[in-house]
Amino acid sequence: MPSNSKRFGQDFTSRGERSDEQITLLRRLWCEQSVTFVGEYHRITGAGIAPLPVQRPIPIWIGAASAPGYRRAGRIADGWFPLIEPGPKLDDARGVVAQAALDAGRDPSTIGMEGRTIYTGDLDTVARDLSAWKDAGATHVSISTMDAGLATVDDHLTVLTSVAESLL
């Protein structure tokens, strides 16, 4: 098996550059009938998607846990998933995202941020987590119920409905 630095025939250290190129390519594929693309990592001749998506371009959100990822999110993403909790580290990361957006000529307020919390049976904890994410500037949140010991889809939906109703 290849080392961690060379999976799928790609060097791990170039993942950021590849991601930038792939996002450019995806946006073109989602918006143009026929795409010819020659990049450092990808070559495509006369490719297209039919039918094209109704929403063009499809928003791209990036998960980020490092300064280069935060800068990428600010530079090219429609939104980002911070892999940290609200607090000083998130505040610093938001500053990096915002500065990268400004440097790229973008309005940082147009970049979404999704926080997440885990429901383990306590609505009060979820409410506190959601409040912290709101205060941190999250535009979206997700709530995981996977570790709550729930047995059916209906159980998960009931919990999520309770969470939503508690916010009203």
Side-chain angles (χ1 to χ4, degrees), residues 42-116:
H42 304 86
R43 292 184 192 284
I44 295 177
T45 303
I49 297 173
L52 287 171
V54 173
Q55 182 179 356
R56 295 183 214 154
I58 295 172
I60 294 179
W61 286 56
I62 294 174
S66 66
Y70 304 146
R71 288 190 295 272
R72 180 172 300 102
R75 195 174 60 251
I76 63 175
D78 299 298
W80 67 297
F81 306 101
L83 304 177
I84 50 181
E85 299 296 322
K89 288 183 181 180
L90 178 62
D91 295 340
D92 291 344
R94 287 185 64 220
V96 174
V97 170
Q99 187 59 56
L102 292 170
D103 291 347
R106 302 179 68 205
D107 178 354
S109 71
T110 65
I111 302 169
M113 178 177 72
E114 181 176 304
R116 66 194 141 290

Side-chain angles (χ1 to χ4, degrees), residues 116-120 126 142-148 156 159-160:
R116 66 194 141 290
T117 187
I118 299 172
Y119 172 84
T120 58
V126 170
S142 62
I143 301 166
S144 173
T145 56
M146 299 308 292
D147 294 324
H156 289 271
V159 165
L160 292 171

Side-chain angles (χ1 to χ4, degrees), residues 119-166:
Y119 172 84
T120 58
D122 182 6
L123 282 175
D124 291 335
T125 298
V126 170
R128 279 192 303 276
D129 288 350
L130 295 176
S131 179
W133 277 111
K134 180 180 179 183
D135 292 346
T139 57
H140 300 71
V141 292
S142 62
I143 301 166
S144 173
T145 56
M146 299 308 292
D147 294 324
L150 305 173
T152 68
V153 170
D154 287 340
D155 292 342
H156 289 271
L157 293 173
T158 297
V159 165
L160 292 171
T161 298
S162 296
V163 170
E165 289 173 350
S166 75

